[in-house]
């Protein structure tokens, strides 16, 4: 039976790992033609090999979103080559700067401002603008991946949190700007999710996974999310099932924001 995305072309940034990778698998399983954008060429080729081993296929484009000129060139090239893009998932994001998980305002000031704002905000605007003819041709759905961090007050990760909050405003503005072109724009704000990003930051990834699995107070559901659960929400917003939803943020956080 044909999937929801049969005959549709989907572009996923950050598609070589984590939530982006889960989206790639979900879209492919539902019949889409998928283009993966990721800065990690080795991981991208590994994902392609795994997809092809399942009898499926995809395309991989290595792209460093911190390079605005390269991002603009890639967006224009994809716009020209693909002709029509039906879904764009902006999943790629930068969390750490210079290997630091903490970036306190008082101690470090604006350190990290440029790389975080470039990847988490500017690159998304560049991609959407550069691909606009193809997105319009596909009457596309754009999904921007924010974070539950957009709703937090943290002094030590303030720039990251600010970019994720800013992305929600950008989503609403893009939705208003692109509605006349038949393009819907929404955001997903995941709660804590067990991904390679968190595991690879630890000297003992398996111990870190076990620790994360035990975080019973991480949400009302008493656990962290798995990437495929976030991907399910993203594919819903991308599908015709969400045809009357735009300029909206879907919080996929297990009830975290309502946790007493």
């Amino acid at each position: 039976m044909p999937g929801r995305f049969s005959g549709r072309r989907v572009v996923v940034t950050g598609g070589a790992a984590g939530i982006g990778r889960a989206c790639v698998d979900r879209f492919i399983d539902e019949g889409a033609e998928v283009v993966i954008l990721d800065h990690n060429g080795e991981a991208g080729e590994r994902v392609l090999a795994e997809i092809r081993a399942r009898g499926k296929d995809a395309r991989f484009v290595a792209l460093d979103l911190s390079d605005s000129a390269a991002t603009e060139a890639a967006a224009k090239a994809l716009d020209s080559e693909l002709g029509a893009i039906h879904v764009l998932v902006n999943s790629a994001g930068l969390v750490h700067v210079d290997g630091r998980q903490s970036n306190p305002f008082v101690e470090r000031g604006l350190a990290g401002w440029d790389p975080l704002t470039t990847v988490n905000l500017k690159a998304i605007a560049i991609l959407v603008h550069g691909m606009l003819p193809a997105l319009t041709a596909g009457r596309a759905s754009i999904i921007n991946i924010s974070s539950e961090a957009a709703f937090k007050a943290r002094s030590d990760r303030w720039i990251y949190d600010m970019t994720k909050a800013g992305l929600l405003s950008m989503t609403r503005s893009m939705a208003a700007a692109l509605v006349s072109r038949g393009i819907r724009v929404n955001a997903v704000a995941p709660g804590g999710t067990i991904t390679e990003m968190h595991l690879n930051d630890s000297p003992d990834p398996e111990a870190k996974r076990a620790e994360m699995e035990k975080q019973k107070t991480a949400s009302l559901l008493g656990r962290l999310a798995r990437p495929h659960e976030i991907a399910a929400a993203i594919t819903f917003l991308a599908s015709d099932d969400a045809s009357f939803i735009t300029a909206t943020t879907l919080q996929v956080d297990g009830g975290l924001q309502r946790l007493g």
Side-chain angles (χ1 to χ4, degrees):
M1 185 175 68
R4 286 186 297 178
F5 298 97
S6 292
R8 298 192 183 186
R9 189 170 293 115
V10 177
V11 177
V12 181
T13 73
I19 292 170
R21 169 63 194 280
C23 287
V24 168
D25 288 339
R26 181 72 180 248
F27 279 115
I28 288 175
D29 288 343
E30 294 205 40
E33 176 188 335
V34 176
V35 179
I36 303 166
L37 304 184
D38 202 284
H39 76 284
N40 190 330
E42 182 180 342
E45 294 300 331
R46 184 169 59 250
V47 168
L48 280 186
E50 293 170 358
I51 290 170
R52 289 166 180 164
R54 295 196 289 124
K56 309 284 187 177
D57 202 6
R59 176 180 172 187
F60 172 68
V61 177
L63 176 61
D64 181 358
L65 294 175
S66 68
D67 184 336
S68 294
T71 302
E72 184 173 4
K76 290 180 177 178
L78 287 169
D79 176 79
S80 175
E81 294 169 17
L82 298 179
I85 298 170
H86 302 91
V87 179
L88 170 61
V89 178
N90 290 305
S91 182
L94 185 63
V95 179
H96 301 153
V97 179
D98 300 327
R100 295 172 179 255
Q101 294 190 35
S102 179
N103 194 41
F105 174 73
V106 173
E107 290 80 359
R108 300 197 73 210
L110 270 65
W113 178 279
D114 286 345
L116 283 164
T117 56
T118 296
V119 173
N120 295 353
L121 288 173
K122 185 179 180 181
I124 293 172
I126 291 173
L127 283 174
V128 172
H129 192 266
M131 295 180 183
L132 198 51
L135 290 165
T136 300
R139 297 183 65 81
S141 174
I142 299 171
I143 300 93
N144 297 322
I145 311 308
S146 179
S147 169
E148 49 93 13
F151 307 98
K152 287 188 173 181
R154 300 189 297 183
S155 64
D156 60 337
R157 300 189 185 184
W158 72 282
I159 301 177
Y160 173 78
D161 297 352
M162 177 272 298
T163 64
K164 290 302 183 179
L167 184 53
L168 300 183
S169 179
M170 182 190 292
T171 296
R172 295 189 293 270
S173 297
M174 278 187 175
L178 302 181
V179 65
S180 64
R181 295 172 179 262
I183 300 172
R184 295 185 298 108
V185 189
N186 291 291
V188 168
T193 307
I194 301 174
T195 66
E196 294 95 327
M197 177 183 70
H198 300 100
L199 301 179
N200 293 340
D201 280 343
S202 171
D204 188 341
E206 288 308 311
K208 180 65 174 180
R209 180 185 293 277
E211 175 190 337
M212 295 182 77
E213 293 280 5
K214 294 177 181 177
Q215 293 186 26
K216 301 300 183 184
T217 60
S219 69
L220 279 178
L221 295 178
R223 62 176 178 83
L224 295 170
R226 277 64 171 176
H228 75 270
E229 294 177 302
I230 311 301
I234 293 165
T235 52
F236 161 68
L237 285 176
S239 76
D240 291 340
D241 292 333
S243 59
F244 200 60
I245 301 175
T246 195
T248 293
T249 298
L250 178 57
Q251 293 176 240
V252 190
D253 59 10
L256 178 63
Q257 301 302 326
R258 271 65 63 189
L259 189 63

